[in-house]
Amino acid sequence: LSFHTFAQLKKTTALSSRSKNFQSKMTKVLTAQFGLMLVTVLNVLIINNYVLILNIAVPHSIAFLFVAVAAHSPIHSIVVLTMTPIYRRKLTQIVGKVREKILKQSSKIVFFVTRKLRKCY
């Protein structure tokens, strides 16, 4: 489906180059999301079937599978936030604002501490 989308984007003349670039980026993001989900689910299924079919007594196999399935959600969120241009832009704005606040607060604390130390000596 993604190959078809890329081929159609190259052939079409109804879209501007900016729109084509945006559609191409978003198709790449969707492909990455699908790939991540596919890898996670397939790994869990393969390991689970391997353990069940071969009757291997792996002590922590169920715990590993649970962690692998549970890790999918935060990893998926990170992928979406970092790969989607709109979300990435907003995330960098938020992180920048938080960083500025932390730096302001830390400089106030350093100023206060140094002022108190000067009074002591």
Side-chain angles (χ1 to χ4, degrees):
L1 185 62
S2 61
F3 294 119
H4 177 70
T5 303
F6 287 124
Q8 290 299 316
L9 283 173
K10 286 182 183 178
K11 284 195 288 187
T12 188
T13 57
L15 297 174
S16 67
S17 63
R18 185 175 177 186
S19 181
K20 285 181 185 181
N21 287 337
F22 179 76
Q23 293 298 327
S24 177
K25 285 179 187 177
M26 296 312 291
T27 303
K28 288 176 186 176
V29 169
L30 287 173
T31 305
Q33 290 175 13
F34 173 73
L36 176 69
M37 185 271 312
L38 187 68
V39 166
T40 304
V41 171
L42 283 179
N43 279 337
V44 170
L45 287 174
I46 290 170
I47 292 169
N48 186 36
N49 288 335
Y50 182 74
V51 169
L52 290 175
I53 290 171
L54 297 178
N55 200 16
I56 300 172
V58 179
H60 302 293
S61 64
I62 300 299
F64 171 76
L65 295 174
F66 178 75
V67 169
V69 170
H72 175 263
S73 180
I75 292 171
H76 182 266
S77 298
I78 291 169
V79 167
V80 169
L81 285 174
T82 56
M83 291 191 71
T84 308
I86 297 167
Y87 296 151
R88 185 174 51 230
R89 227 176 293 129
K90 190 63 177 177
L91 183 66
T92 54
Q93 287 176 353
I94 292 170
V95 168
K97 288 177 183 178
V98 170
R99 186 172 175 248
E100 287 176 16
K101 287 181 181 179
I102 290 171
L103 289 175
K104 285 180 184 178
Q105 290 297 323
S106 63
S107 64
K108 286 179 184 178
I109 292 170
V110 168
F111 178 73
F112 177 76
V113 170
T114 54
R115 202 170 90 202
K116 290 290 185 183
L117 288 174
R118 286 183 189 156
K119 286 183 182 180
C120 291
Y121 294 107

